[in-house]
Amino acid sequence: MVVEELLARYAAGERNFRDIELFRSELSNVNLAGASLFRANLFRSNLFRANLIGVNLYNANLIGANLYCADLSGANLSGANLTRADLSGANLSGVDLSAADLSGANLSYANFSYADMSRTNLHKAILIDTNLTGANLSGADLKDAQITGANVTEARFSVNIGLSLEMKRELQQQGAIIEDMSEKLYAIRLLTHS
């Protein structure tokens, strides 16, 4: 589907664009708020400053996508692949990023307040001055992640991969909640909440 057709159908009131193929599409400044882009292929697409409030991007392919300053507040990005995506300056407050892949992604200056980032892959992600207030990072892979100047007030960390004791202490001093529990107890908690 070409972008013009997508935008025309959206303007006409259609919201379901499940499994849509938008490989390397130019979508900067578009408004797709509330649309379902379930399993959409947005590989390397330009979504600069796009309005994606409340969008369903469950299991979507956003590898290398440009989401600079995009508004994704309240969106469902669980299971999405955002490897090497640029999310700098983006609003992701209240998003569901559980089990998403953000490895190598640029998350600098982005707002992840109260986001569900449990079991998220943040391997080699860049989190410079990122707002993680109240975010849930339980079970997230933080190996080689660059966390500098981030606001971690009430952010929850437990059973994290790649989080040194020194880093845990540093995060705790900055207001993060560090829960050291066994992986077995964490698995039980996951099962009782799903």
Side-chain angles (χ1 to χ4, degrees):
M1 181 186 297
V2 292
V3 173
E4 293 75 19
E5 185 189 343
L6 165 71
L7 297 178
R9 283 166 61 177
Y10 181 87
E14 190 175 337
R15 293 295 179 267
N16 187 4
F17 302 102
R18 181 186 182 116
D19 297 309
I20 194 169
E21 192 61 47
L22 291 164
F23 180 86
R24 291 184 187 256
S25 291
E26 175 52 56
L27 294 159
S28 56
N29 295 299
V30 298
N31 176 18
L32 291 170
S36 177
L37 296 166
F38 180 91
R39 282 194 318 241
N41 184 6
L42 290 150
F43 177 88
R44 292 254 173 117
S45 289
N46 183 13
L47 292 144
F48 170 82
R49 292 192 188 275
N51 178 354
L52 301 168
I53 296 170
V55 167
N56 182 3
L57 284 157
Y58 175 82
N59 272 0
N61 177 0
L62 289 148
I63 295 172
N66 177 15
L67 289 149
Y68 177 85
C69 286
D71 192 346
L72 290 134
S73 52
N76 179 2
L77 286 149
S78 58
N81 191 340
L82 292 136
T83 304
R84 294 181 310 281
D86 183 0
L87 288 147
S88 52
N91 181 5
L92 294 115
S93 58
V95 300
D96 182 354
L97 275 158
S98 56
D101 190 347
L102 288 154
S103 54
N106 184 356
L107 313 175
S108 301
Y109 308 101
N111 178 7
F112 287 92
S113 57
Y114 303 97
D116 181 358
M117 300 173 80
S118 57
R119 303 178 325 280
T120 299
N121 182 357
L122 292 160
H123 178 73
K124 292 190 175 180
I126 302 163
L127 294 101
I128 298 170
D129 293 328
T130 305
N131 183 359
L132 294 166
T133 305
N136 178 9
L137 288 110
S138 302
D141 181 350
L142 294 158
K143 191 174 181 202
D144 299 321
Q146 185 182 340
I147 305 171
T148 312
N151 182 348
V152 292
T153 307
E154 294 183 18
R156 201 170 285 280
F157 294 85
S158 67
V159 198
N160 297 104
I161 299 165
L163 206 54
S164 66
L165 281 172
E166 183 188 332
M167 191 62 176
K168 283 180 185 179
R169 277 195 293 271
E170 204 176 295
L171 290 168
Q172 204 161 21
Q173 286 170 355
Q174 294 168 17
I177 299 163
I178 308 294
E179 296 175 328
D180 278 321
M181 64 174 88
S182 69
E183 288 188 31
K184 187 177 179 182
L185 184 61
Y186 177 69
I188 292 166
R189 182 184 278 187
L190 268 180
L191 289 172
T192 55
H193 287 320
S194 52

